[in-house]
């Protein structure tokens, strides 16, 4: 009996679980471009174009390999608007009574597929180092689920950067060496690809269907097949990895990518295997071409952080994105959608996001995320914004980063303290403050950096919760040592600034 084999737009690997379990001789692969997946949040046009282009090329690859592929294009007149609808349509067309599905990375879609009037076998996505069972076993009985200890287990399991039973060079983590301010010059630009006929056809479709979504579609230069993604990987290893570690937290107005890899979109949709990417990085270290701090930091982001947040997402369950322990409810400010702001750091990060569908982790965490937390923005609104605007954002990876790491909305499942900072951190790690209308050295008044004002405002709003947190005690002691007049001025100016924000003034 024919079975359907569902391949989603972020499962574009011949080794994905459903394809490995299928029979090429009898089973039918179903792939579909559907309106629901592009619009349940209004994804960035570049993100939509990346996924649709890569899907079309992967479908052609499967056909060349002998698979029977039933592919639905977004503009097909018979297309339904949902993945489930397409499965049912293909079941009727082929006479199939069952489907093999690789588990989606989003509870929304998992639920929709489980409730179809079709027999489905949902296989765990095994493109990760830790299975659900392994992560649950690791998490069981722990008071705190800290990534560092999980990461060490993943190092042991894979053998990456291990010398026998010990970590390479005697340390698990070299993050202390990876916090250098922005360099005077940058000698790296990522590799981009000219759109071919397939991509150009998709770009025209995206322009016509999703031209009202936030972000620029053109110029478009993402890799859209495995061969191009391998070229991007080669380029990063040769040109950027050696300096990646030193400057991974730095931010520059005129050098958006610094020494970052821009490989996460390709890993997350299946064009690159995460462990093989890590093995390539390890080989650069073993050959003496890249230092340990760069390679360890890069590998930690993949087999550590990436695997860890996926584990958290599935461990915590479908309600995770609705958590809001701090009770934040401010509307998402218009400048997240490109409206004017006098805050140069936020303006830069959002402009880059709109242009490139990309910003690196510090721009996301310590600029747009930090502001949202300090100002008390609704974490679910921020979650949906991050999911919409970044090409590498899929809910399993995005939600824990936003709800947990960035906004502390999960109450400390991921982070032991909120990731908040004043303008001093942004000034140290970037050149943003030099061109800002506000003064990072001014603590009160109309010219004071809003991050300075809101930092203390946040701490005072939540003193009952965080006052006894050992990692925040020094902050509260600093506040208590200030003279009363200055404390009153800070809180008064912060309140006044927030009122302007809520009134829709340019702030």
């Amino acid at each position: 009996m024919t079975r359907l084999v569902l391949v989603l737009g972020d499962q574009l690997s011949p080794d994905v679980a459903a394809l490995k379990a299928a029979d090429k001789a009898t089973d039918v692969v179903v792939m579909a471009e559907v309106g629901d997946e592009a619009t349940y949040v209004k994804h960035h046009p570049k993100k939509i174009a990346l996924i649709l282009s890569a899907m079309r090329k992967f479908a052609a690859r499967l056909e060349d390999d002998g698979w029977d592929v039933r592919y639905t294009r977004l503009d097909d007149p018979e297309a339904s608007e949902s993945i489930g609808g397409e499965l049912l349509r293909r079941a009727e067309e082929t006479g199939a009574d069952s489907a093999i599905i690789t588990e989606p990375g989003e509870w929304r879609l998992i639920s929709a597929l489980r409730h179809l009037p079709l027999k489905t076998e949902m296989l765990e996505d095994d493109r990760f180092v830790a299975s659900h069972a392994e992560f649950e076993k690791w998490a069981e009985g722990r008071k705190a689920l800290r990534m560092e200890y999980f990461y060490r287990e993943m190092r042991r399991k894979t053998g990456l950067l291990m010398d026998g039973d010990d970590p390479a060079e005697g340390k698990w983590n070299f993050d202390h060496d990876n916090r250098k301010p922005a360099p005077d010059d940058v000698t790296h630009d990522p590799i981009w690809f000219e759109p071919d006929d397939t991509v150009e056809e998709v770009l025209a479709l995206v322009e016509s269907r999703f031209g009202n979504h936030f972000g620029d579609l053109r110029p478009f230069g993402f890799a859209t097949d495995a061969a191009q993604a391998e070229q991007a990987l080669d380029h990063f290893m040769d040109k950027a990895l050696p300096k990646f570690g030193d400057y991974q937290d730095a931010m520059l107005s005129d050098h958006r990518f610094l020494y970052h890899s821009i490989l996460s979109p390709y890993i997350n949709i299946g064009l690159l295997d995460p462990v093989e990417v890590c093995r390539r990085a390890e080989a650069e270290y073993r050959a003496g071409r890249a230092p340990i701090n760069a390679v360890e930091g890069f590998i930690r982001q993949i087999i550590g952080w990436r695997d860890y947040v996926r584990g958290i997402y599935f461990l915590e369950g479908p309600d995770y994105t609705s958590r809001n322990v701090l009770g934040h409810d401010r509307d998402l400010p218009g400048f997240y959608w490109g409206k004017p702001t006098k805050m140069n750091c936020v303006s830069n990060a959002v402009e880059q996001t709109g242009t490139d569908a990309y910003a690196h982790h510090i721009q996301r965490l310590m600029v747009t995320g930090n502001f949202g937390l300090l100002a008390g923005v609704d974490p679910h609104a921020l979650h949906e914004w991050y999911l919409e605007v970044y090409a590498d954002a899929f809910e399993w990876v995005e939600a824990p980063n936003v709800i947990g790491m960035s906004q502390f909305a999960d109450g400390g499942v991921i982070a032991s303290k909120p990731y908040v900072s004043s303008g001093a951190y942004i000034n140290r790690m970037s050149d943003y403050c030099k061109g800002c209308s506000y003064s990072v050295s001014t603590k009160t008044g109309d010219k004071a950096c809003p991050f300075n004002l809101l930092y203390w405002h946040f701490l005072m709003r939540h003193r009952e919760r965080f006052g006894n947190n050992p990692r925040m005690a020094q902050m509260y002691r600093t506040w208590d040592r200030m003279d009363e007049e200055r404390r009153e001025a800070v809180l008064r100016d912060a309140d006044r600034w927030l009122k302007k924000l809520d009134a829709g003034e340019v702030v």
Side-chain angles (χ1 to χ4, degrees):
M1 179 66 71
T2 297
R3 297 176 299 177
L4 301 180
V5 184
L6 179 64
V7 176
L8 298 172
D10 60 346
Q11 299 174 350
L12 307 180
S13 165
D15 296 323
V16 77
L19 285 173
K20 288 191 293 186
D23 185 341
K24 189 185 301 183
T26 59
D27 295 336
V28 173
V29 173
V30 175
M31 298 180 67
E33 305 168 7
V34 296
D36 278 3
E37 295 306 306
T39 58
Y40 71 94
V41 295
K42 295 172 71 173
H43 295 286
H44 196 294
K46 273 190 171 73
K47 180 181 185 179
I48 299 173
L50 165 64
I51 294 172
L52 298 191
S53 298
M55 285 177 67
R56 293 185 182 190
K57 292 185 177 185
F58 186 68
R61 176 181 175 183
L62 292 179
E63 287 179 334
D64 289 344
D65 196 35
W67 288 94
D68 180 357
V69 180
R70 308 297 172 97
Y71 191 94
T72 304
R73 295 192 173 201
L74 193 65
D75 52 359
D76 286 350
E78 296 181 0
S80 62
E81 288 295 308
S82 70
I83 297 293
E86 284 303 299
L87 272 177
L88 294 177
R89 186 166 74 91
R90 297 303 188 182
E92 183 177 1
E93 175 183 282
T94 62
D97 68 345
S98 63
I100 311 171
I101 299 170
T102 304
E103 180 182 71
E106 190 164 343
W107 287 111
R108 171 191 62 86
L109 194 50
I110 290 172
S111 177
L113 293 174
R114 280 180 173 163
H115 291 90
L116 289 176
L118 181 70
K119 181 182 177 183
T120 58
E121 180 184 6
M122 191 171 290
L123 306 175
E124 183 174 344
D125 190 343
D126 58 5
R127 296 174 296 162
F128 296 86
V129 180
S131 66
H132 292 326
E134 287 175 312
F135 190 86
E136 290 165 6
K137 182 178 179 181
W138 172 80
E140 187 176 1
R142 292 178 181 266
K143 292 182 178 179
L145 303 181
R146 298 294 168 246
M147 189 278 290
E148 178 65 27
Y149 301 106
F150 171 78
Y151 164 58
R152 295 180 186 183
E153 292 302 312
M154 296 303 96
R155 288 270 296 275
R156 293 186 181 102
K157 180 176 180 179
T158 60
L160 286 161
L161 290 181
M162 296 296 294
D163 293 332
D165 294 331
D166 299 318
E169 299 196 20
K171 288 173 60 178
W172 292 104
N173 188 316
F174 289 81
D175 198 38
H176 185 270
D177 300 329
N178 293 343
R179 298 169 182 167
K180 293 181 181 177
D184 293 332
D185 62 340
V186 177
T187 56
H188 167 252
D189 287 304
I191 185 172
W192 302 110
F193 300 89
E194 284 295 319
D196 56 25
D197 291 345
T198 298
V199 176
E200 282 291 355
E201 189 175 14
V202 169
L203 293 177
L205 176 64
V206 172
E207 279 175 329
S208 67
R209 290 288 293 267
F210 310 111
N212 63 336
H213 289 202
F214 170 76
D216 299 338
L217 177 61
R218 299 177 188 267
F220 181 89
F222 282 121
T224 51
D225 58 47
Q228 289 181 340
E230 288 288 343
Q231 291 181 55
L233 174 62
D234 291 343
H235 180 85
F236 170 69
M237 293 295 163
D238 183 43
K239 304 295 185 184
L241 178 62
K243 293 186 177 180
F244 164 76
D246 290 348
Y247 304 117
Q248 67 172 284
D249 287 3
M251 298 172 283
L252 284 177
S253 302
D254 294 332
H255 294 282
R256 302 178 175 211
F257 304 104
L258 285 95
Y259 295 95
H260 289 272
S261 72
I262 330 298
L263 297 177
S264 55
Y266 313 142
I267 294 172
N268 287 354
I269 67 173
L271 300 184
L272 292 174
D273 178 88
V275 175
E276 288 305 310
V277 169
C278 291
R279 295 204 187 285
R280 283 287 307 277
E282 181 188 37
E284 294 299 301
Y285 163 69
R286 299 292 185 189
R289 293 188 292 266
I292 186 69
N293 68 301
V295 174
E296 186 277 318
F298 180 72
I299 288 174
R300 178 164 20 97
Q301 287 190 356
I302 298 176
I303 68 165
W305 191 254
R306 181 177 183 272
D307 245 78
Y308 167 79
V309 295
R310 186 252 191 170
I312 292 290
Y313 179 76
F314 282 100
L315 185 70
E316 292 299 307
D319 74 336
Y320 189 74
T321 61
S322 65
R323 297 188 191 175
N324 186 6
V325 301
L326 300 182
H328 286 175
D329 59 3
R330 179 164 274 108
D331 291 342
L332 190 71
F335 48 69
Y336 279 82
W337 302 113
K339 291 186 178 180
T341 174
K342 293 188 278 187
M343 294 180 288
N344 196 44
C345 58
V346 174
S347 179
N348 267 268
V350 171
E351 190 276 328
Q352 176 178 339
T353 296
T355 300
D356 301 324
Y358 171 84
H360 73 66
H361 64 287
I362 295 299
Q363 292 168 304
R364 301 188 204 192
L365 178 64
M366 301 309 298
V367 179
T368 52
N370 185 22
F371 177 84
L373 182 55
L374 292 176
V377 173
D378 178 352
H380 188 78
L382 280 161
H383 148 66
E384 290 197 332
W385 182 79
Y386 281 96
L387 186 60
E388 288 186 40
V389 301
Y390 291 115
D392 58 1
F394 298 88
E395 195 171 272
W396 64 265
V397 63
E398 171 275 325
N401 273 291
V402 176
I403 298 297
M405 182 72 168
S406 173
Q407 299 304 299
F408 204 83
D410 66 2
V413 173
I414 288 180
S416 58
K417 72 172 186 67
Y419 271 81
V420 289
S421 78
S422 68
Y425 175 85
I426 297 171
N427 187 42
R428 184 168 68 252
M429 299 307 300
S430 78
D431 63 357
Y432 294 154
C433 297
K434 295 176 183 177
C436 191
S437 299
Y438 296 106
S439 168
V440 71
S441 61
T442 301
K443 307 304 181 184
T444 58
D446 291 340
K447 296 294 290 183
C449 170
F451 283 82
N452 292 342
L453 299 174
L454 297 179
Y455 176 74
W456 295 115
H457 195 270
F458 171 88
L459 292 182
M460 292 307 105
R461 292 200 313 268
H462 297 294
R463 184 161 194 165
E464 184 176 351
R465 177 179 291 272
F466 298 121
N468 294 323
N469 185 311
R471 296 188 64 197
M472 301 179 73
Q474 180 59 45
M475 307 172 194
Y476 285 105
R477 285 196 292 267
T478 298
W479 172 262
D480 291 340
R481 286 196 298 268
M482 292 182 194
D483 64 75
E484 186 174 353
E485 184 177 349
R486 180 181 169 188
R487 292 200 300 262
E488 289 176 354
V490 166
L491 297 181
R492 181 182 64 247
D493 291 345
D495 279 329
R496 185 171 60 198
W497 193 91
L498 288 170
K499 287 179 181 177
K500 291 180 180 179
L501 173 69
D502 293 340
E505 296 183 30
V506 176
V507 291

